[in-house]
């Protein structure tokens, strides 16, 4: 009988396989592979079985994370940052008081003579809504003050260079002057003035002089805007001869700042600095101006000045960048612009000529209506502003 060739080959292959697996080394390798497969399968099965527990653990961690976020929100971080700012402001006030010498009572409290009061009067200029200290007119041999208790009198030459606290009454106002004059009978260094009328604060003035020349000043004044809003005006400016440059803030004034000490017992600790006053303000800003002033009004022809007017909710009502004349938007270059809105409208943008506070709608002006917040950000991109710009967004109402 003829043998089937395929059957012979199959038997031969089977014999080879048996011979291969009968090898001791191969047996060991195969056994280890089987163990690994079993262990791997068991581990996979255990992992699958453990998934529900792991999901439970993830849910627990997510819950703890949410609770942490809630706890952070409950900390009221805005208030904490506000408190930190007030602490910094308080520290700056303390440093200022140390520099003035008010903390160590390193000053002489005297009663100025009537001629002295007339010589050092504080003048208010309504045009620029600011106060100025008149230059002394006394001479060195003149008696300008006395000790209220002992009656001892002092000539100007004896008090030159001394830090003086001089309380006096003028035109129905209580004036508290702290500062010094030099041997030339000129104001020199830092002078701090507080003025009250009917026990209500009407002025805080910090002025730095150099031999009679005003270098820079800071002031707090209660005022009323053209719209009839009561505000505190806080200004910080450098004197440049005919013009002053710097910043002004308007804050809503709901209450008066009432004097809490007696005229006769006033001490250094009763004097209020601008920084100390700022730390007590908890009302929203009404306006911010950065630029030059002259004749008591916004006057700036650089084109870099700007004014921000705020709505009651703290969002920007108007942002104007350009030249000012007599306190008004006034710019003939065509490069001035503003973004503005009314209570019931969206923001609009105008770039062009301004006259007497309003757009002139000149030929070639650029006007856009219903600005999106994205477009607003495009317009102001790359420009630095010294105040907050919170924009009203109708899309998130």
């Amino acid at each position: 009988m003829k043998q089937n060739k395929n059957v012979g080959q199959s038997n031969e292959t089977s014999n080879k396989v048996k011979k291969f697996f009968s090898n001791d080394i191969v047996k060991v390798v195969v056994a280890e592979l089987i163990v690994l497969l079993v262990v791997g399968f068991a581990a996979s099965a255990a992992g699958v079985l453990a998934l529900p527990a792991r999901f439970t653990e993830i849910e627990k961690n997510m819950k703890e994370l949410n609770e942490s976020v809630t706890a952070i929100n409950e900390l009221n971080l805005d208030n904490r940052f506000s408190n930190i700012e007030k602490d910094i402001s308080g520290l700056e006030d303390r440093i200022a008081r140390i520099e003035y010498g008010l903390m160590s009572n390193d000053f002489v409290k005297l009663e100025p003579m009537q001629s002295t009061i007339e010589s050092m009067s504080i003048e208010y200029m309504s045009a620029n809504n600011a106060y100025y200290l008149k230059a002394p007119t006394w001479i060195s041999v003149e008696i300008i003050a006395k000790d209220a208790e002992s009656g001892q009198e002092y000539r100007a030459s004896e008090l030159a260079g001394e830090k003086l606290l001089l309380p006096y009454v003028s035109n129905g106002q209580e004036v508290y002057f702290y500062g010094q004059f030099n041997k030339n009978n000129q104001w020199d260094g830092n002078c701090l003035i507080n003025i009250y009328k009917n026990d209500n604060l009407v002025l805080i003035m910090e002025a730095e002089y150099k031999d009679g020349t005003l270098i820079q000043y800071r002031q707090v004044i209660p005022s009323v805007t053209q719209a009839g809003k009561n505000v505190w005006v806080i200004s910080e400016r450098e004197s440049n001869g005919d013009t002053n440059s710097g910043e002004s803030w308007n804050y809503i004034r709901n209450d008066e700042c009432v004097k809490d000490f007696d005229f006769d017992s006033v001490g250094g600790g009763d004097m209020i600095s601008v920084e100390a006053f700022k730390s007590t303000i908890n009302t929203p800003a009404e306006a911010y101006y950065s630029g030059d002033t002259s004749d008591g009004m916004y006057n700036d022809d650089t084109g870099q000045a700007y004014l921000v007017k705020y709505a009651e909710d703290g969002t920007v009502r108007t942002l104007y960048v350009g030249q000012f004349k007599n306190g008004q938007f006034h710019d003939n270059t065509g490069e001035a612009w503003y973004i503005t809105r009314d209570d019931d409208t969206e923001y609009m943008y105008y770039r062009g000529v301004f006259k007497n506070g309003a757009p002139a709608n000149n030929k070639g002006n650029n006007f856009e209506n219903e600005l999106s917040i994205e477009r607003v950000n495009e317009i102001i991109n790359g420009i630095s502003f010294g105040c907050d710009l919170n924009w009203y967004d109708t899309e998130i109402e």
Side-chain angles (χ1 to χ4, degrees):
M1 178 183 289
K2 189 174 180 180
Q3 188 178 16
N4 189 314
K5 185 177 180 180
N6 291 334
V7 172
Q9 288 178 346
S10 176
N11 290 335
E12 182 179 355
T13 300
S14 177
N15 290 334
K16 288 183 179 180
V17 170
K18 289 180 179 179
K19 184 176 180 180
F20 174 79
F21 281 103
S22 65
N23 187 288
D24 291 339
I25 295 175
V26 173
K27 288 180 179 180
V28 172
V29 171
V30 171
E32 290 181 354
L33 286 173
I34 293 173
V35 171
L36 289 174
L37 289 172
V38 171
V39 171
F41 177 79
S44 298
V48 172
L49 293 175
L51 281 178
R54 290 187 178 181
F55 280 124
T56 300
E57 183 178 355
I58 291 172
E59 291 175 353
K60 180 181 177 182
N61 291 337
M62 288 297 293
K63 182 180 179 181
E64 292 177 351
L65 179 61
N66 289 332
E67 290 175 351
S68 297
V69 172
T70 300
I72 290 174
N73 290 334
E74 290 176 350
L75 288 175
N76 200 340
L77 292 182
D78 288 341
N79 284 344
R80 292 208 167 192
F81 281 124
S82 177
N83 290 336
I84 290 173
E85 290 177 350
K86 288 184 177 180
D87 289 342
I88 293 174
S89 178
L91 180 59
E92 291 176 346
D93 172 56
R94 184 175 177 84
I95 292 172
R97 288 177 173 275
I98 291 174
E99 291 177 347
Y100 277 120
L102 291 167
M103 297 292 290
S104 62
N105 289 326
D106 184 22
F107 56 85
V108 180
K109 179 184 174 182
L110 297 174
E111 178 183 329
M113 310 303 287
Q114 185 58 40
S115 58
T116 306
I117 294 173
E118 295 173 359
S119 176
M120 60 181 293
S121 62
I122 313 296
E123 293 187 339
Y124 173 69
M125 298 183 65
S126 59
N128 57 10
N129 198 24
Y131 286 82
Y132 293 93
L133 176 62
K134 287 180 61 177
T137 58
W138 58 69
I139 59 177
S140 297
V141 296
E142 186 176 347
I143 295 174
I144 64 170
K146 66 179 180 179
D147 188 305
E149 295 182 1
S150 67
Q152 181 178 351
E153 297 179 340
Y154 294 88
R155 300 181 185 278
S157 58
E158 298 176 284
L159 298 177
E162 294 286 345
K163 293 181 182 295
L164 305 173
L165 175 58
L166 305 174
Y168 62 91
V169 177
S170 177
N171 298 321
Q173 297 179 329
E174 294 182 6
V175 181
Y176 301 90
F177 170 88
Y178 178 86
Q180 61 281 316
F181 60 91
N182 60 19
K183 62 182 181 180
N184 298 320
N185 296 312
Q186 298 291 335
W187 302 124
D188 198 55
N190 295 316
C191 295
L192 173 62
I193 299 168
N194 292 173
I195 299 180
Y196 294 86
K197 184 173 184 178
N198 298 326
D199 289 337
N200 291 330
L201 181 72
V202 296
L203 172 69
I204 300 174
M205 177 178 177
E206 296 178 14
E208 181 184 350
Y209 292 89
K210 185 175 182 181
D211 194 24
T213 300
L214 179 63
I215 305 301
Q216 58 186 4
Y217 67 88
R218 305 173 76 191
Q219 291 186 355
V220 175
I221 304 170
S223 186
V224 180
T225 67
Q226 292 181 350
K229 292 184 178 179
N230 293 329
V231 295
W232 291 107
V233 180
I234 301 179
S235 57
E236 183 171 345
R237 303 193 167 279
E238 294 183 359
S239 179
N240 304 309
D242 294 335
T243 62
N244 300 313
S245 61
E247 304 167 295
S248 296
W249 297 261
N250 285 7
Y251 293 94
I252 298 298
R253 175 168 55 93
N254 292 330
D255 301 299
E256 301 299 333
C257 179
V258 182
K259 179 170 68 73
D260 60 357
F261 59 90
D262 294 328
F263 176 83
D264 294 331
S265 61
V266 62
D270 297 315
M271 299 292 289
I272 305 176
S273 69
V274 173
E275 203 62 49
F277 181 85
K278 284 178 65 175
S279 69
T280 66
I281 293 179
N282 54 14
T283 52
E286 188 273 337
Y288 172 88
Y289 172 75
S290 175
D292 293 343
T293 62
S294 61
D295 298 326
M297 292 179 285
Y298 303 155
N299 281 300
D300 192 301
D301 59 6
T302 66
Q304 302 301 312
Y306 59 92
L307 174 71
V308 181
K309 298 289 285 186
Y310 295 98
E312 292 182 357
D313 62 0
T315 58
V316 175
R317 182 159 54 89
T318 299
L319 166 62
Y320 170 84
V321 179
Q323 297 181 2
F324 288 80
K325 183 178 180 180
N326 296 328
Q328 301 288 333
F329 306 159
H330 196 90
D331 193 310
N332 292 318
T333 65
E335 298 299 320
W337 57 270
Y338 76 178
I339 299 172
T340 187
R341 67 178 292 269
D342 291 326
D343 292 338
D344 56 351
T345 68
E346 296 185 10
Y347 287 110
M348 59 148 287
Y349 170 71
Y350 171 85
R351 186 185 191 96
V353 173
F354 285 80
K355 290 186 177 180
N356 301 320
N361 295 316
N362 61 296
K363 183 178 180 180
N365 75 76
N366 183 9
F367 176 81
E368 298 177 34
N369 201 7
E370 298 184 355
L371 268 64
S372 65
I373 299 302
E374 289 74 20
R375 177 56 181 145
V376 169
N377 289 328
E378 287 179 4
I379 295 171
I380 66 174
N381 183 43
I383 306 175
S384 297
F385 297 95
C387 58
D388 293 331
L389 295 177
N390 300 315
W391 300 97
Y392 182 81
D393 192 350
T394 56
E395 296 180 0
I396 60 175
E397 285 188 322

